[in-house]
Amino acid sequence: MDKLDLLLHPVRLRIVHAMSGERTRTTSDLCATLPDVPKTTVYRHVGLLADAGVLEVTDEQRVHGAVERHYRLRRERTVIDTDEAASMTLDDHRRGFTAALAGLHADFNAYLDRDGADPAADSVGYTQIPLWLDRDELAELVDEIVGAIRSKRHNKPAPGRSLHLLSPILFPLEGLPHHDG
């Protein structure tokens, strides 16, 4: 399966998100994390991700006569680099955006369904902010955002930390001006 087909799927995206943060999890753990997804579906998609090397087995244990595998995400296998993104068709981008939104919607509903969910206390945000930017200002803003994210991206699980999902979405609302040269 090609990398885009593998990663641009709502359930597989949710599994990748659930495995983020350098956690090791079993398929049973993932089923508990994704209660709205049928167990057979979770097992099938974990198998696809493992076969593609996105998930790696870190441990195996016998549990009630069955083998229980512990998986870890290989983050480098989940990145769609600049060249891959540039080679995506407009339909690939539509499919990717749709998969991301579907996964985001399901994850947000799962959050709201948890006991004790408190969007105000948890600093939940989904504000959209239109900004007038020229190309240089846009590049500067993207660099600032990427820098802020990179400074926290490699945080490890620790007492007092909980995993958060940040989903920046950026696109022009109107036609882009033509640039010279």
Side-chain angles (χ1 to χ4, degrees):
M1 178 179 292
D2 123 306
K3 186 176 188 180
L4 291 177
D5 286 338
L6 182 70
L7 296 175
L8 300 182
H9 185 280
V11 173
R12 290 191 289 270
L13 275 176
R14 291 182 67 200
I15 291 170
V16 167
H17 292 159
M19 293 297 299
S20 295
E22 300 197 22
R23 293 184 289 182
T24 301
R25 304 181 102 173
T26 66
T27 308
S28 294
D29 295 336
L30 290 168
C31 287
T33 301
L34 307 171
D36 58 309
V37 180
K39 289 181 182 185
T40 55
T41 300
V42 173
Y43 275 85
R44 184 175 71 250
H45 289 292
V46 166
L48 288 169
L49 291 167
D51 289 346
V54 173
L55 298 179
E56 68 180 341
V57 176
T58 61
D59 186 33
E60 293 183 340
Q61 297 176 349
R62 280 229 171 263
V63 177
H64 306 296
V67 175
E68 181 179 65
R69 291 179 180 87
H70 294 253
Y71 295 96
R72 179 179 42 232
L73 181 67
R74 296 184 63 196
R75 189 89 180 126
E76 73 279 3
R77 299 267 178 127
T78 67
V79 175
I80 296 173
D81 66 28
T82 306
D83 291 336
E84 290 166 322
S87 73
M88 291 172 62
T89 67
L90 296 179
D91 283 340
D92 289 337
H93 283 284
R94 277 187 188 92
R95 192 167 43 98
F97 190 77
T98 300
L101 286 180
L104 187 62
H105 185 257
D107 284 338
F108 189 67
N109 280 332
Y111 159 74
L112 292 175
D113 290 340
R114 284 196 318 239
D115 288 339
D118 185 344
D122 294 336
S123 298
V124 170
Y126 40 84
T127 301
Q128 295 177 340
I129 305 165
L131 302 170
W132 287 99
L133 304 168
D134 64 28
R135 289 190 180 272
D136 291 338
E137 292 167 330
L138 175 60
E140 180 183 6
L141 177 63
V142 169
D143 285 346
E144 290 170 0
I145 292 169
V146 168
I149 293 168
R150 279 191 182 137
S151 74
K152 304 292 186 247
R153 177 143 192 176
H154 298 291
N155 284 0
K156 307 270 189 253
R161 281 191 177 151
S162 58
L163 189 62
H164 290 77
L165 179 62
L166 177 64
S167 296
I169 299 170
L170 177 69
F171 59 90
L173 292 175
E174 298 177 353
L176 296 173
H178 296 293
H179 54 283
D180 299 327

